[in-house]
Amino acid sequence: MTLHTKLLQAKDDWRLVTIQTDEGDRLTGLVEDLTRWTVTLRHAEGIRFVPIAGIVRASALRQLGDG
């Protein structure tokens, strides 16, 4: 699964994601918008635009009731 597909699936399922950037930042939030170049992430401190090229790793968190 590609990074873009993983983020798109998390957006469609309203799942929280954790993104690690190449600068060492680790952000957890909801994917509000996703383009070819950026992810708009809503997290506890507001909204952040993260360039896709700057993402090292992204993972979707499990929802309650996902066994």
Side-chain angles (χ1 to χ4, degrees), residues 44-61:
E45 297 174 9
I47 294 176
R48 180 140 175 213
F49 299 96
V50 182
I52 296 283
I55 297 175
V56 174
R57 182 177 305 137
S59 59
L61 303 177

Side-chain angles (χ1 to χ4, degrees), residues 8-66:
L8 184 59
Q9 185 66 45
K11 178 182 183 283
D12 290 343
D13 292 345
W14 286 84
R15 288 183 185 254
L16 288 173
V17 295
T18 298
I19 293 175
Q20 182 179 350
T21 68
D22 58 358
E23 296 175 347
D25 294 335
R26 190 174 285 241
L27 306 165
T28 300
L30 290 172
V31 177
E32 277 210 348
D33 193 26
L34 179 65
T35 69
R36 189 172 171 181
W37 297 278
T38 62
V39 177
T40 305
L41 188 71
R42 178 178 294 275
H43 61 104
E45 297 174 9
I47 294 176
R48 180 140 175 213
F49 299 96
V50 182
I52 296 283
I55 297 175
V56 174
R57 182 177 305 137
S59 59
L61 303 177
R62 295 175 59 170
Q63 290 179 327
L64 293 176
D66 277 356

